[in-house]
Amino acid sequence: MAQYIQKPRGTMDVFPEEAAYWQKIERTARDVAARFGFGEIKTPTFEDINLFRRGVGEVTDVVQKEMYTFTDKDNRTFALRPEGTASVVRAIIEGGHCSDTMPLKLYYMINCFRYEKPQAGRSREFSQFGVEMFGTSDPSADASVIALAAMTLRELGITGVKLHINSIGCPACRPQYREALVEHFTAHKDELCDTCKERLNTNPLRILDCKSPVCSSFAAEAPKTLDHLCPECSAHFEALKAYLDAMGIEYVVDSKIVRGLDYYTKTVFEFIAEGIGAQSTVCGGGRYDGLMEQLGGPKTAGLGFGMGITRVILAMKECGVPVETVKCPVLYIAPMGEKAHAEALRIVEELRRAGLYAECDISGRSLKAQMKYADKLGAKYTLILGDTELETGRAQLKNMAESSQTEIELATIASMFLDK
Ligand code: ATP
Ligand code: MG
């Protein structure tokens, strides 16, 4: 064989057996989102790079080093979207939807691109189910968005996933907290990992969720956001907890949850599935009340989450969730001769138009090979069509499981299967 071209590093091919998991997740997510009144939004795969490189606020890992960028033939610079939120906010502003009836509730199924070191649960192209809600700063909205994620994971049969919540404050209380944090980590500056040394200047909150043992030991002793919240943020967080309690949604308060993206305010949360490896956050999100304004729109509250599909699949497998991977044809027709082949195709076409899965030979196999193939496909019934059957209009329908035969009329075969 000639040398073949391989897929780019950190991307994947998905074959039908694995795609069955994707389909189950997408079906469930769409269904749950609809129950919460969310409609689907589609946005471009690539955007003006400045949408993600905002130059305001703190520098994120994503913007700093993870973005996939390219320059087109007109010398414009774009980025393959690293996430969905910024695009959705841009689309709302651009489409003039800021004055729509609020809250505005949108969901999406997208692929995202980040230049990361590929490993289990972390790839360069990955898919997300995400939701965004705009125009409400009430904590019951935070509780509803969290409930949507929890319901999706529950209905996928994932157990043992834990909800971690935290509040990282707002522009009124975060600066003081940030200062306290920088002071704490500066005392240990030389011992921090290289990335966190940099984060000390750019995004010190991110040091709190560094996975390196040394950094996390200092993080454990670091000042907690919850002790530095202003009265408004504090009341918001207390109300959120009360609503989650009322809905019977279990959570743990976790001061290490800060989220990777820079635009979060107040509520942040993650759903963590122990047992799927180091990349155990299946879903992360929070509130971002300043983002719409930052992107040139009117001041509008917002919140949402992103759920990583491949990590959800790992969690489903860990829980042994069954998915339907193979579909078996109701009927396999083995024709002998050209005329019979045309009749076989006619019947199969009729059954398929009626919504049934039916097969007939399309490879010119011998009768014996066809029967073997029908068995492999798991066909419920088989039918051999030859000259005699065509002449009499009758044939033997074989029930494969019972090895029994019944004579049927070819003219009514489709309606017979539809009645079954
Ligand atoms: P992490 O801490 O894992 O890097 P993040 O903070 O960068 O996550 P978000 O930007 O909030 O993640 O993305 C939301 C979700 O998308 C994550 O919780 C995860 O499930 C998934 N995700 C993020 N990056 C990747 C990736 N490189 N490969 C696969 N899934 C990913
Ligand atoms: Mg990341």
Side-chain angles (χ1 to χ4, degrees):
M1 269 198 297
Q3 178 86 30
Y4 63 90
I5 296 166
Q6 297 183 339
K7 65 183 181 311
R9 206 165 121 76
T11 64
M12 66 181 129
D13 301 312
V14 178
F15 281 82
E17 271 189 25
E18 187 74 4
Y21 286 92
W22 290 69
Q23 288 172 4
K24 181 162 182 155
I25 294 167
E26 286 177 18
R27 255 196 327 268
T28 307
R30 284 177 195 282
D31 185 55
V32 173
R35 270 182 255 163
F36 280 76
F38 284 66
E40 183 169 5
I41 182 167
K42 291 182 185 290
T43 61
T45 308
F46 60 98
E47 295 271 6
D48 185 323
I49 190 169
N50 294 312
L51 180 62
F52 307 108
R53 192 203 275 155
R54 284 185 293 280
V56 212
E58 291 161 327
V59 181
T60 70
D61 286 4
V62 169
V63 171
Q64 231 182 356
K65 44 177 214 265
E66 294 178 2
M67 217 146 39
Y68 259 101
T69 58
F70 68 96
T71 305
D72 76 357
K73 289 173 182 163
D74 276 330
N75 233 10
R76 283 175 293 229
T77 311
F78 295 101
L80 297 180
R81 63 178 163 219
E83 50 115 15
T85 308
S87 300
V88 171
V89 172
R90 179 208 47 73
I92 289 170
I93 298 170
E94 195 169 338
H97 295 285
C98 296
S99 48
D100 284 7
T101 306
M102 295 288 162
L104 196 56
K105 297 186 275 188
L106 300 164
Y107 81 88
Y108 48 83
M109 297 281 177
I110 55 169
N111 42 357
C112 303
F113 306 83
R114 296 185 192 174
Y115 199 85
E116 306 213 65
K117 189 166 164 244
Q119 52 196 283
R122 194 183 287 294
S123 47
R124 290 184 170 173
E125 180 180 12
F126 63 96
S127 287
Q128 262 189 11
F129 161 53
V131 315
E132 315 290 350
M133 193 195 279
F134 300 92
T136 166
S137 46
D138 198 85
S140 55
D142 305 50
S144 301
V145 164
I146 289 174
L148 200 170
M151 197 175 289
T152 305
L153 295 169
R154 186 184 317 120
E155 295 198 5
L156 284 170
I158 298 170
T159 51
V161 59
K162 266 212 176 108
L163 167 63
H164 294 233
I165 62 170
N166 191 20
S167 174
I168 55 169
C170 67
C173 51
R174 186 121 48 108
Q176 289 94 307
Y177 173 67
R178 191 189 148 115
E179 228 167 81
L181 206 58
V182 170
E183 194 178 311
H184 170 79
F185 284 121
T186 304
H188 309 286
K189 189 176 175 188
D190 297 338
E191 292 156 86
L192 295 176
C193 74
D194 288 347
T195 315
C196 285
K197 276 193 190 106
E198 235 172 82
R199 284 174 174 157
L200 199 49
N201 302 314
T202 55
N203 191 356
L205 261 73
R206 217 18 186 154
I207 305 176
L208 293 174
D209 76 351
C210 179
K211 305 286 185 295
S212 108
V214 177
C215 297
S216 48
S217 72
F218 294 135
E221 299 156 9
K224 294 184 171 29
T225 46
L226 294 180
D227 297 331
H228 290 75
L229 295 182
C230 62
E232 191 201 318
C233 288
S234 188
H236 193 275
F237 192 60
E238 289 308 312
L240 166 64
K241 289 192 291 183
Y243 289 140
L244 291 175
D245 289 337
M247 287 191 285
I249 295 172
E250 285 179 27
Y251 58 86
V252 288
V253 175
D254 181 349
S255 59
K256 292 194 303 299
I257 302 291
V258 292
R259 309 295 308 125
L261 301 166
D262 64 344
Y263 46 63
Y264 288 108
T265 48
K266 294 196 172 89
T267 311
V268 285
F269 61 89
E270 291 188 6
F271 285 85
I272 298 177
E274 302 297 345
I276 64 164
Q279 311 311 326
S280 53
T281 301
V282 295
C283 174
R287 178 170 277 286
Y288 47 83
D289 289 344
L291 185 62
M292 183 78 84
E293 207 176 12
Q294 228 184 75
L295 291 176
K299 188 164 169 35
T300 310
L303 68 160
F305 67 71
M307 191 180 282
I309 305 300
T310 37
R311 294 189 199 174
V312 171
I313 292 175
L314 289 176
M316 286 168 77
K317 288 182 177 169
E318 176 74 18
C319 295
V321 175
V323 293
E324 195 193 355
T325 50
V326 270
K327 262 194 154 357
C328 302
V330 287
L331 176 67
Y332 181 93
I333 308 177
M336 293 186 303
E338 231 165 78
K339 258 177 114 182
H341 213 146
E343 175 65 359
L345 282 169
R346 185 197 66 75
I347 296 171
V348 159
E349 174 74 9
E350 197 178 339
L351 288 170
R352 288 174 181 167
R353 283 189 195 186
L356 297 174
Y357 172 30
E359 291 273 12
C360 73
D361 177 61
I362 46 170
S363 312
R365 285 191 168 102
S366 71
L367 187 61
K368 197 173 156 209
Q370 284 196 56
M371 285 307 157
K372 224 170 134 183
Y373 180 59
D375 202 39
K376 198 167 169 194
L377 289 177
K380 287 204 182 86
Y381 292 90
T382 55
L383 189 74
I384 299 174
L385 273 190
D387 288 343
T388 322
E389 285 79 10
L390 288 185
E391 271 160 33
T392 58
R394 306 183 75 81
Q396 295 292 326
L397 184 71
K398 185 173 177 190
N399 181 325
M400 295 295 275
E402 294 167 11
S403 279
S404 58
Q405 305 226 23
T406 27
E407 196 177 76
I408 52 108
E409 270 182 55
L410 291 179
T412 56
I413 183 169
S415 56
M416 199 190 81
F417 273 101
L418 287 172
D419 290 343
K420 267 189 199 296

